[in-house]
Amino acid sequence: MSSPAERYSAARRRATYPALAEFTASLEFGLDDFQVRACEALEGGSGVLVCAPTGAGKTVVGEFAVHMARATDRKCFYTTPIKALSNQKYADLVRIYGPDEVGLLTGDTVINGDAPVLVMTTEVLRNMLYASSATLDGLGYVVMDEVHYLADRFRGAVWEEVIIHLPASVTLISLSATVSNAEEFADWLVSVRGRTEVIVSEHRPVPLWQHMLVGRRMFDLFGDADAAEHREVNPQLLRYTREQQRRLGFDHRGRPRRGRPVNRPDVIARLDDEGLLPAIVFIFSRAGCDAAVQQCMRAGLHLTNAVERAEITRIVEERTSGIAADDLHALGYWDWFDALRRGLAAHHAGLLPVFKEVVEELFSAGLVKAVFATETLALGINMPARCVVLERLVKFNGDAHVDITPGEYTQLTGRAGRRGIDIEGHAVVAWSPELDPRHVAGLASTRTFPLRSSFRPSYNMAVNLVASLGAERARDLLSSSFAQFQTDRAVVGLAEQVRTAELAAATHDRDIKCHLGDFDEYYRLMLDITGKEKSLARSGKAARRDAVASSLAHLKVGDVIHIPGGKRAGLAVVLDPGISRGGEQRLMVLTENRWAGRIGESVFAEPVDALAHIKVPRHFNHKIPAARRDMAASVRNTGVTADGPRRSRRRLPEGEDRELTVLRERLRTHPCHACPDRTEHAGWARRRQRLLDDNAHLRRKVDQRSGSLTRVFDAVCDVLISRGYLADGQVTPHGRTLSRLWTETDLLVAECLRAGIWDELGASELAAVVSTVLYESRRDGDLPAALPHGPVTQAVTATLGIWEGVVTEERAKRLDTTREPDLGFVWPMYRWARGEPLAKVLASAAGPDAEMPAGDFVRWTRQTVDLLGQIAGAVGPKHRLHEVAKDAASSLRRGVVAYV
């Protein structure tokens, strides 16, 4: 029972914050302290930045902003980084306010677009701001959920554009994961948005316990809370893992031998026995997620009872009733449905969107007990579990396999522990010989990560800024970005480092002095000799690279060659000599082990000879396993061995060394060469030179960072001026077309429209060609995609020609280059637009061993639909392409693509 003083304090608070009192009365739970502080700041007229762990309840503050907007008869926009989150938040708000008060705007969905409460992806709001949309009238509050997404290198700039461009009258509510530089981010928000309160909470409402699974044994990562505070790993765990490592031993390189892979059915069964289901098992591979489900099914796992199976059947049949039977068959529906009835599911971007939504719904309802998911599941979707399992702590980031960061670990394990259901959550990491438990302890103990801006001016951004502000004011606005804010702060620190390095270098001058002569001059001779030797070595390597490139250029289809090393070492037949783009020749080959893919010059250390020649059928298709098998057998049957007759290593011309001889002679005759302390003097000279080199590097950094964004902006504007999109500080008609194109390849699309190379295409042909500027293959190494003959091939060839011209100019201006068009989605788009069945369309985009995943097909098709709509709007209703683009978008919007 509360005291009179406490009751009086509560009454005064209710009187001071009446809107919060009204909002709190409508909730079925009490607010945490950080939620109360954030809501009070919001009602007090301040913007807020709320940083709290996953699952802590940050979105309550966003919902209070919606309540404030409705109470003051103003609009509220609730923005999220991905459509799945937008859909989820839309459903949540509809339950509170009803369908008439809430709308949804994503790239391909518009529901009640004039509603006072609108949920949307952040890109939609950015586009509204540039277009000065009437929908912005009456806007009072904007909630930016997952605002830490502005660090994303592909889409993060959109968040900064919105924050900078929002009218000053709009109150901004920023919701973020816990970041270590929240105060820095808040300082920037204050500089561009005015009064902003930062509310940070590191308290998890549901405690999280960390474990490691070693074989079949589960260990606590830390002995107790005090050990966790000091990162002291459980001694029992350390002893047991060392014993397991000793039993496995090491390979010939001294690396730990790999143990047996994780037995996924055993892991799920063990979690079930421990009462830790429902669980999410993170596997950083789509194929791994699907394989895990199949392994559990083959092991006979059943995690549901009859009542749960009946409810699963009802929900699945209801949600998939609009999908045609033939399409369901093509999508592998029955295997997916069987797994769901057992309480098992995969969750990744390759699934059909409606399949993913069903998995999320069933898991949230406690009907699906184990989900095998990629890391995309960790991004904000409200799908908490009792337990989270990480099979590995390494993932592929698109370029290489890298360790996950502390921030990613926190995001993934943050799914564990359901508020109001579980009294504690559990994170389990599967042990492997190469994984040190102390590394896991470091990840688990580092709760925060720094927020770094990814803001870079784009062509579309440049023309929109110039159109709305003029060139000079646009440059000033870029200076107010979070990227420049962080850069300016870093410059202060770098300048201090420059001064420190200069003082340190000066202290070494007396140690370098020699009584026999000028040691500075002697040391410069030493540096000149070293530089000359490195130069000669580099020229030798360059000559060898040229010889390799020349030999590859002379290879023909059917030539059998030897790949000297790496995963593909052995004999291979050339399927396609390749096209030299970006300065490197890339061959398409089929190895004797049946692998087909592209290899570059870097694989070969020496010039390459054809060891034999075999016939490759004119219509050979490396995607057919039987064809690969037969061709690999032909390679082996040539009788050539890997160390068979190869050309002897060429003697490459040696660099001119007369200058080097002169330098060495000057060094030997210098007076300081006879100094007995020469070695000691040289050591001090090296230390001073390192300091001077570091200092020069720091100075370059200072110069580069000061005004770095405006320099990039100026270079972007130079390209736009040279191509006629800007003139005399104004946006030209072509520039206005570019301003309506919101895609990564915006300038390339605008150039294609300006050149008219797509003007004569039909609807299905346009859909196919437009896909090339959007689609990105998930893996390199496929043969050049075959294209429909006629207009499509001509338009794609012309598009590639324009791309090469754009990239040449970008390189000259030292800008990031526009991505090369990818032809891998041309056939699926062409066939889908012509009305062909889903099974045939998915097969037409198959990789070497499998069909294109349905989720990928739907995502890329919807992006193509979105860009076609942008093209129709950009060219205007009088242009022939306007109707063709609309027809193309309409022809794609069918079947699984249209299903919401």
Side-chain angles (χ1 to χ4, degrees):
M1 193 173 197
S2 59
S3 67
E6 289 171 332
R7 289 196 296 274
Y8 174 72
S9 176
R12 284 199 61 179
R13 177 168 279 183
R14 285 194 297 271
T16 308
Y17 302 104
L20 178 57
E22 183 183 2
F23 175 72
T24 306
S26 68
L27 301 176
E28 297 176 354
F29 53 87
L31 296 183
D32 291 340
D33 178 63
F34 85 91
Q35 295 167 326
V36 171
R37 286 188 290 124
C39 292
E40 287 178 350
L42 194 55
E43 188 169 355
S46 173
V48 292
L49 167 64
V50 183
C51 300
T54 301
K58 297 183 291 289
T59 56
V60 168
V61 182
E63 289 168 4
F64 177 62
V66 176
H67 176 82
M68 287 279 294
R70 300 311 305 126
T72 55
D73 199 27
R74 288 187 288 175
K75 290 183 180 178
C76 180
F77 291 174
Y78 198 112
T79 72
T80 73
I82 56 175
K83 292 177 185 176
L85 261 178
S86 293
N87 294 337
Q88 195 171 75
K89 182 49 64 176
Y90 169 71
D92 292 344
L93 293 174
V94 165
R95 279 195 292 272
I96 299 171
Y97 297 103
D100 294 337
E101 292 290 300
V102 184
L104 176 67
L105 299 177
T106 62
D108 51 13
T109 305
V110 177
I111 301 174
N112 198 13
D114 295 323
V117 179
L118 284 177
V119 182
M120 62 187 71
T121 51
T122 315
E123 281 87 350
V124 171
L125 178 53
R126 186 270 312 272
N127 298 354
M128 278 187 190
L129 289 166
Y130 279 138
S132 299
S133 169
T135 310
L136 297 167
D137 294 344
L139 180 62
Y141 297 87
V142 167
V143 180
M144 300 193 79
D145 204 352
E146 307 286 339
V147 76
H148 56 268
Y149 208 81
L150 67 78
D152 181 77
R153 60 181 177 141
F154 297 112
R155 296 169 54 216
V158 177
W159 274 252
E160 289 189 51
E161 289 181 81
V162 168
I163 292 169
I164 292 169
H165 285 293
L166 275 174
S169 59
V170 174
T171 301
L172 184 67
I173 299 90
S174 305
L175 309 180
S176 171
T178 310
V179 294
S180 56
N181 59 336
E183 287 75 15
E184 179 186 40
F185 185 49
D187 287 347
W188 173 69
L189 286 173
V190 169
S191 71
V192 293
R193 303 294 315 161
R195 183 180 162 201
T196 303
E197 297 242 1
V198 57
I199 311 293
V200 177
S201 172
E202 296 190 23
H203 172 70
R204 277 183 55 94
V206 180
L208 179 65
W209 294 95
Q210 308 276 350
H211 312 277
M212 284 197 79
L213 186 64
V214 187
R216 295 177 177 231
R217 291 191 61 179
M218 185 96 76
F219 292 88
D220 290 339
L221 181 61
F222 305 107
D224 53 38
D226 188 57
E229 184 73 25
H230 296 89
R231 302 189 187 187
E232 294 173 359
V233 178
N234 184 350
Q236 283 185 301
L237 170 61
L238 287 174
R239 281 195 298 271
Y240 192 75
T241 53
R242 286 171 186 152
E243 176 62 22
Q244 295 301 305
Q245 184 63 75
R246 188 186 62 76
R247 290 179 182 177
L248 290 169
F250 298 85
D251 63 18
H252 66 284
R253 295 183 181 177
R255 295 179 303 193
R257 292 190 192 279
R258 289 184 177 275
R260 286 183 297 180
V262 173
N263 186 310
R264 289 155 175 163
D266 281 357
V267 170
I268 299 303
R270 177 66 195 274
L271 294 177
D272 194 19
D273 292 343
E274 296 277 350
L276 296 180
L277 296 182
I280 300 170
V281 181
F282 283 110
I283 302 172
F284 302 122
S285 155
R286 296 182 185 182
C289 293
D290 294 333
V293 173
Q294 293 302 316
Q295 289 162 13
C296 291
M297 292 177 69
R298 284 196 298 271
L301 274 184
H302 288 270
L303 305 174
T304 54
N305 56 38
V307 173
E308 290 171 330
R309 286 192 291 274
E311 182 63 8
I312 289 168
T313 300
R314 183 190 68 77
I315 292 172
V316 171
E317 289 179 348
E318 180 182 297
R319 294 295 305 275
T320 60
S321 60
I323 303 177
D326 287 347
D327 287 351
L328 288 175
H329 180 74
L331 294 167
Y333 169 82
W334 295 106
D335 287 342
W336 172 74
F337 182 38
D338 187 24
L340 290 178
R341 283 174 51 82
R342 295 174 182 227
L344 303 163
H347 188 287
H348 54 70
L351 286 176
L352 190 70
V354 68
F355 282 17
K356 278 200 300 183
E357 290 164 13
V358 168
V359 170
E360 292 162 12
E361 182 178 344
L362 294 177
F363 189 81
S364 298
L367 297 170
V368 164
K369 315 294 184 180
V371 168
F372 299 92
T374 57
E375 73 271 24
T376 53
L377 180 61
L379 182 66
I381 298 173
N382 185 23
M383 198 171 148
R386 179 168 295 162
C387 176
V388 164
V389 180
L390 277 70
E391 274 199 2
R392 299 184 69 205
L393 298 182
V394 175
K395 70 170 188 173
F396 187 69
N397 67 359
D399 298 317
H401 286 89
V402 296
D403 291 339
I404 66 172
T405 64
E408 289 167 335
Y409 183 89
T410 301
Q411 190 88 355
L412 295 167
T413 57
R415 297 281 136 209
R418 297 165 298 174
R419 189 168 190 177
I421 301 174
D422 301 320
I423 58 171
E424 58 190 27
H426 299 267
V428 179
V429 176
W431 178 82
S432 60
E434 63 273 15
L435 182 60
D436 188 334
R438 287 168 295 193
H439 174 62
V440 182
L443 289 173
S445 302
T446 308
R447 295 291 181 202
T448 62
F449 57 96
L451 192 59
R452 296 281 175 253
S453 172
S454 61
F455 186 81
R456 298 282 285 180
S458 67
Y459 297 110
N460 171 281
M461 185 194 302
V463 292
N464 276 298
L465 286 175
V466 172
S468 58
L469 301 173
E472 282 308 309
R473 285 187 61 206
R475 293 174 91 256
D476 293 340
L477 183 138
L478 286 174
S479 299
S480 65
S481 68
F482 185 45
Q484 195 63 53
F485 185 84
Q486 288 189 309
T487 297
D488 292 342
R489 285 198 166 187
V491 165
V492 174
L494 287 172
E496 183 59 36
Q497 290 179 50
V498 167
R499 285 191 291 273
T500 303
E502 286 173 346
L503 291 172
T507 62
H508 293 327
D509 289 346
R510 65 177 179 273
D511 299 311
I512 295 168
K513 287 182 181 177
C514 176
H515 67 288
L516 295 178
D518 185 350
F519 200 87
D520 279 334
E521 182 183 59
Y522 181 79
Y523 187 69
R524 281 195 297 273
L525 282 172
M526 293 174 66
L527 293 179
D528 290 344
I529 290 169
T530 303
K532 186 63 180 175
E533 288 171 341
K534 288 180 178 178
S535 175
L536 290 173
R538 281 195 299 270
S539 63
K541 288 180 182 177
R544 276 193 291 277
R545 282 198 301 271
D546 292 343
V548 169
S550 176
S551 68
L552 293 181
H554 286 88
L555 293 176
K556 299 179 178 62
V557 175
D559 283 348
V560 177
I561 62 173
H562 173 243
I563 301 173
K567 291 192 294 185
R568 314 302 177 191
L571 297 176
V573 59
V574 177
L575 301 179
D576 173 41
I579 301 168
S580 181
R581 280 211 178 102
E584 185 182 21
Q585 191 86 6
R586 291 179 64 78
L587 302 175
M588 171 60 73
V589 299
L590 174 70
T591 68
E592 58 186 321
N593 296 321
R594 307 185 192 178
W595 177 82
R598 287 207 177 275
I599 56 174
E601 298 168 8
S602 58
V603 173
F604 303 98
E606 302 177 27
V608 183
D609 273 331
L611 308 180
H613 188 86
I614 59 177
K615 183 173 178 57
V616 177
R618 185 175 180 186
H619 299 294
F620 176 77
N621 186 350
H622 78 295
K623 296 180 179 180
I624 301 174
R628 293 204 306 277
R629 181 194 62 214
D630 295 343
M631 185 60 66
S634 298
V635 173
R636 290 192 294 272
N637 291 338
T638 57
V640 176
T641 60
D643 54 355
R646 301 205 300 276
R647 90 174 56 183
S648 59
R649 182 163 180 148
R650 300 176 180 176
R651 284 193 61 80
L652 297 166
E654 294 184 0
E656 175 60 57
D657 62 359
R658 291 174 67 182
E659 185 183 345
L660 184 60
T661 302
V662 171
L663 286 170
R664 286 171 174 163
E665 181 60 27
R666 287 180 60 194
L667 186 76
R668 281 193 296 270
T669 59
H670 194 282
C672 291
H673 197 66
C675 179
D677 298 324
R678 183 184 69 197
T679 304
E680 186 178 345
H681 290 323
W684 285 112
R686 273 193 297 275
R687 293 185 188 94
R688 186 184 68 172
Q689 190 60 44
R690 276 199 297 269
L691 284 169
L692 292 173
D693 290 344
D694 290 345
N695 201 23
H697 177 65
L698 288 170
R699 284 186 177 280
R700 284 194 297 273
K701 270 190 172 181
V702 170
D703 292 341
Q704 289 166 2
R705 292 191 180 189
S706 299
S708 56
L709 279 182
T710 52
R711 277 199 298 275
V712 173
F713 178 73
D714 289 342
V716 166
C717 287
D718 286 345
V719 173
L720 294 173
I721 290 168
S722 72
R723 292 179 174 267
Y725 294 91
L726 295 176
D728 301 322
Q730 302 294 318
V731 177
T732 66
H734 293 307
R736 284 193 287 276
T737 299
L738 173 58
S739 72
R740 300 184 184 103
L741 298 171
W742 312 94
T743 175
E744 187 185 347
T745 52
D746 46 12
L747 182 59
L748 175 58
V749 175
E751 286 286 275
C752 290
L753 294 176
R754 188 174 72 154
I757 62 172
W758 299 346
D759 286 359
E760 302 305 316
L761 297 174
S764 58
E765 295 162 346
L766 181 63
V769 175
V770 165
S771 75
T772 65
V773 301
L774 289 169
Y775 180 68
E776 290 183 76
S777 301
R778 293 194 68 237
R779 50 182 167 181
D780 297 326
D782 288 347
L783 277 168
L787 299 174
H789 292 300
V792 172
T793 298
Q794 294 167 10
V796 168
T797 303
T799 301
L800 287 168
I802 288 176
W803 169 79
E804 287 176 342
V806 169
V807 166
T808 299
E809 187 167 0
E810 288 171 331
R811 285 182 180 139
K813 299 290 185 185
R814 297 186 178 181
L815 291 168
D816 293 339
T817 56
T818 298
R819 181 174 52 79
E820 181 178 2
D822 192 317
L823 315 187
F825 203 51
V826 170
W827 268 116
M829 280 296 83
Y830 185 66
R831 286 178 166 153
W832 188 250
R834 286 161 62 93
E836 296 188 23
L838 179 64
K840 186 175 180 180
V841 170
L842 294 179
S844 69
D849 302 301
E851 293 182 341
M852 168 174 270
D856 288 344
F857 170 73
V858 170
R859 186 173 70 258
W860 290 118
T861 303
R862 286 179 173 174
Q863 288 190 29
T864 304
V865 169
D866 184 48
L867 182 53
L868 286 166
Q870 292 177 32
I871 289 170
V875 298
K878 294 182 180 179
H879 198 291
R880 176 187 178 275
L881 209 56
H882 176 80
E883 288 303 322
V884 176
K886 288 175 65 176
D887 290 345
S890 178
S891 67
L892 296 177
R893 222 182 271 113
R894 66 181 181 89
V896 294
V897 176
Y899 192 89
V900 178

